[in-house]
Amino acid sequence: MPKTPRGTTSRAKDSAGGAAPGTPWGGRFREAVDPTVARFTASIDFDRALARYDLTLSRAHTAMLHRTGLISSEDERALTEGLDAIAEEIEAGDFPFDAALEDIHMNVEARLGEKVGRVAGKLHTGRSRNDQVATDLLLYLRDASTAAERGLHELRGVLLERAVEHLDTVLPGYTHLQRAQPVRLAHHWLAFVEMFGRDAERFADQRTRMRNSPLGSGALAGSTLPLDREDTARALGFEAPSNNSMDAVASRDAALEFLSAAAIAMVHLSRLAEELVLWSSAEFGFVELADAYSTGSSLMPQKKNPDVPELVRGKSARAIGNLVSLLTLVKGLPLTYNRDLQEDKEPVFDSAATLRDSLTVMAGALATVEVRPERMREAANDPMLLATDFAEVLVAQGVPFREAHEAVGKMVRHCIEEDLDLRSLERAKLQEFHSDFPDDASQLASLERALEQRSLVGGTARDTVTRALERAHEHVRSRLESLDEENSRAPGAP
Ligand code: ARG
C-alpha cells in the first residue's frame, strides 16, 4: 500500500493548493484557521467513540460505490483494505488521532490517504459529513439501546432471584414514607421489576423508529450521483433509506428518545437506590450492603457508607440533564444541519455510559445485599397496619366504607391515647365502636390475613406473588433470548 509522509501539525495535504492546510475545504480559504478556533471546533476527543460505526459505514458506502459503477474494483479493494487496516489500528489503540483534523470522519479519511494515497479521495463520493454523522449516531444508538435493554433485563433477573428468596419476608409498605400496609419483600421488589420492564420496552420501542438510513442524503438535498441508498441501508441493518434528505440530516429525535428512556430508567434506579440508602440506615436496619458495595469514612472509623446507591441516585441527575441539554440544543435550529448538532454526542455517550455502569453496580449491590427479615417483620408487626383491614371487616358486613373508616379511625385514636394494640380490643369494646363488628373481628384482621386476603391480580397473597414472579421470570428469559437473536443478525456479527 502506498504511504504518504506524516506532517507535523496536520497530516492531510491541501491538495487544492489553498491556504488552509489540513482541511478538505482548503481550496476556498486564503488563511489557515486560528489555533483556538481549531481547538474550539474539534470534536475528536469525544466522537472517536463513533470510530467503529464510521468504519462500518465507510465499508458499506465503498461497496455500494463499486456496485453502482462509481468506483473501479481496484479502487474498492484499495479503500476496503485501507479501512480494514484503520479498524485494526483503532482496535489496537494505536490510531494516531489528530485534533487538527477536527472529527472522527476527517481523521479516518486523512489516515486512509496515508495508507492508500490519492484513491482515498474517492471515499467521500456522494457523501457529506452531515448524512455520515447522522447515520453513525443511529448505529451507535442501536447498540447502546440494545445494551441498555439487556442490562435492564439482567437487573430484573437479579431482583427476581432475591425476590424468590424473600417471598415470605414481610415488611411495611409505605405511603408518604409512613407505614401503611404489610407487603412481602418479593412484592416490593417486583414493583421495580415492573418499572425496569417498561424501561426495557421503551428502548426496544425506540429502536423501531431508527429503521431508516440517512446515508445518501448528502449535505441536505441528496446527490446527483446514482447512489444505491437501498443497498447501504440494508448493509447497515436498516429497513430502508430515509424518506426526506432534509429531515435525515437535521433530526435528532432518535437521540432524544434514547436520552428520555435513559433518564426514566435512571430515575427508577435512583428510587431503588434511595431505598437501599434508607434501609441500610440504623433507623431502618432493613438491609446491610456487602462490604464490596460500600465504602468507609476517612474520619469516622465506625462508618459504612452506601456510596454505590448514593452515586446511582446522584448520577440520575446527569441523565436528566443530558435529555434537557439535547432538547434545548435542537429546539431553535432552522433546517437542516447546523454545527450546534455536534453537541449532540456527549450527552448521548454520557447517558449510555452512566446507565450501563449504574445497571451493573446496582445488580451487584442487590445480588449481595444482606436482608434483615426480622427487622422488617418487627416493623410490619405494627398493629396500626391492620386498620384498613378492620374497616374492610365491617364492609364485609354491609357497612358503608365511609362509616367503617370513621369507626376504625376512632378505634385507632383510642388505642393511641390508651397505648393499646388494635388487635387486643375485646369484642365488647370493638362493638362499642361499631355494632356490626363480628365476634371474630380480631382474628379476621391479622398480618397473615392482610397479605393473603389481597389475592386480586397485582396483590400480596402468596400465590398471587408466586405467579407474578413466574411471569416476570419468563418475560426476562424470553427478552434476553430475543436480544441474543437480534445481536446475531446485526451487521458485522460473528
Ligand atoms: N463533527 C461534525 C458533527 O459531529 C460532523 C459534521 C460536520 N458537518 C459540517 N458541515 N461541518 O456534527
Side-chain angles (χ1 to χ4, degrees):
M1 244 177 254
K3 300 218 176 194
T4 54
R6 303 261 304 261
T8 43
T9 50
S10 170
R11 307 190 312 269
K13 284 280 157 287
D14 181 20
S15 53
T23 64
W25 52 82
R28 162 76 178 73
F29 283 68
R30 222 189 304 273
E31 256 184 275
V33 77
D34 186 277
T36 54
V37 172
R39 234 177 299 123
F40 185 71
T41 54
S43 54
I44 188 62
D45 282 347
F46 51 88
D47 69 12
R48 59 178 69 186
L50 294 177
R52 41 189 289 246
Y53 304 103
D54 202 62
L55 288 163
T56 303
L57 182 154
S58 286
R59 287 198 193 95
H61 187 67
T62 301
M64 180 278 290
L65 289 177
H66 171 52
R67 227 166 281 146
T68 52
L70 284 159
I71 61 171
S72 69
S73 304
E74 298 86 84
D75 288 350
E76 187 207 10
R77 202 168 324 113
L79 291 175
T80 306
E81 277 173 23
L83 291 167
D84 288 348
I86 291 172
E88 271 168 39
E89 282 184 349
I90 286 174
E91 212 61 48
D94 40 55
F95 182 89
F97 290 106
D98 184 351
L101 290 166
E102 236 183 72
D103 60 19
I104 184 63
H105 323 293
M106 280 158 52
N107 267 268
V108 168
E109 207 182 319
R111 186 70 179 147
L112 191 63
E114 291 175 353
K115 300 225 173 252
V116 306
R118 185 165 169 261
V119 62
K122 295 195 178 183
L123 175 66
H124 216 50
T125 305
R127 189 174 83 171
S128 156
R129 278 186 294 155
N130 298 354
D131 60 344
Q132 187 177 357
V133 77
T135 311
D136 282 1
L137 190 63
L138 292 187
L139 295 175
Y140 174 94
L141 285 169
R142 187 195 288 158
D143 274 0
S145 171
T146 311
E149 191 188 347
R150 179 184 298 280
L152 284 160
H153 287 304
E154 282 168 355
L155 176 64
R156 295 174 83 213
V158 171
L159 275 167
L160 285 171
E161 266 171 45
R162 297 309 310 266
V164 168
E165 240 177 87
H166 290 286
L167 182 57
D168 294 312
T169 299
V170 180
L171 77 161
Y174 296 81
T175 62
H176 313 267
L177 198 56
Q178 307 289 319
R179 289 175 187 167
Q181 289 171 342
V183 295
R184 297 172 188 281
L185 180 54
H187 189 64
H188 189 114
W189 277 342
L190 270 167
F192 286 99
V193 170
E194 289 293 315
M195 292 180 227
F196 295 133
R198 290 193 297 275
D199 294 341
E201 199 178 306
R202 257 185 282 280
F203 282 108
D205 173 65
Q206 175 258 326
R207 287 202 297 289
T208 65
R209 272 177 301 287
M210 299 201 292
R211 56 182 178 266
N212 296 108
S213 168
L215 194 61
S217 298
L220 78 161
S223 175
T224 60
L225 299 169
L227 307 174
D228 185 345
R229 297 194 60 209
E230 264 83 17
D231 179 86
T232 46
R234 237 175 297 114
L236 294 172
F238 292 97
E239 258 173 55
S242 55
N243 293 322
N244 180 289
S245 61
M246 298 179 79
D247 168 48
V249 297
S251 295
R252 293 295 183 269
D253 49 283
L256 283 170
E257 284 195 60
F258 173 83
L259 289 179
S260 163
I264 295 171
M266 281 301 298
V267 164
H268 287 157
L269 281 167
S270 178
R271 296 183 74 169
L272 178 54
E274 163 64 8
E275 291 194 341
L276 288 179
V277 173
L278 269 181
W279 288 6
S280 61
S281 68
E283 283 69 13
F284 273 83
F286 284 3
V287 297
E288 183 175 340
L289 290 165
D291 284 359
Y293 286 88
S294 319
T295 48
S297 160
S298 54
L299 180 80
M300 299 164 282
Q302 85 283 11
K303 293 290 292 288
K304 182 168 175 185
N305 295 329
D307 297 41
V308 168
E310 285 176 304
L311 275 170
V312 168
R313 189 178 59 187
K315 282 173 191 284
S316 65
R318 287 171 180 251
I320 296 165
N322 289 334
L323 171 61
V324 174
S325 288
L326 190 58
L327 283 167
T328 313
L329 178 74
V330 174
K331 95 176 180 61
L333 296 183
L335 293 188
T336 53
Y337 178 85
N338 299 270
R339 189 61 179 271
D340 315 47
L341 288 176
Q342 179 166 290
E343 292 285 311
D344 62 354
K345 288 167 209 59
E346 283 168 294
V348 167
F349 299 159
D350 185 69
S351 280
T354 300
L355 178 58
R356 184 195 58 217
D357 294 348
S358 301
L359 287 168
T360 306
V361 293
M362 280 297 274
L366 285 159
T368 53
V369 71
E370 191 193 317
V371 174
R372 298 269 163 74
E374 47 334 311
R375 286 292 303 241
M376 293 187 174
R377 163 76 60 164
E378 207 181 301
N381 258 332
D382 180 345
M384 291 304 181
L385 270 64
L386 302 173
T388 319
D389 297 68
F390 272 101
E392 287 179 0
V393 165
L394 282 175
V395 168
Q397 303 295 313
V399 177
F401 178 72
R402 290 293 170 216
E403 196 180 310
H405 187 286
E406 168 87 14
V408 177
K410 287 184 178 143
M411 266 168 62
V412 166
R413 199 176 63 216
H414 170 76
C415 288
I416 293 171
E417 282 164 7
E418 305 292 319
D419 197 19
L420 294 171
D421 183 333
L422 212 48
R423 290 165 302 190
S424 69
L425 297 181
E426 298 294 330
R427 178 167 56 93
K429 189 76 199 165
L430 281 177
Q431 288 171 352
E432 257 176 49
F433 287 101
H434 202 294
S435 55
D436 287 341
F437 264 123
D439 291 353
D440 59 348
S442 291
Q443 282 87 61
L444 291 176
S446 72
L447 183 60
E448 298 319 317
R449 283 184 64 95
L451 294 167
E452 283 315 290
Q453 294 285 84
R454 291 179 168 80
S455 56
L456 298 177
V457 178
T460 57
R462 200 170 195 278
D463 283 353
T464 310
V465 174
T466 303
R467 270 196 305 278
L469 286 167
E470 285 163 5
R471 252 198 323 271
H473 187 84
E474 176 49 29
H475 185 250
V476 167
R477 197 198 54 72
S478 83
R479 282 308 303 155
L480 284 173
E481 205 177 281
S482 336
L483 284 168
D484 284 342
E485 202 205 309
E486 195 175 318
N487 198 31
S488 66
R489 277 187 283 113

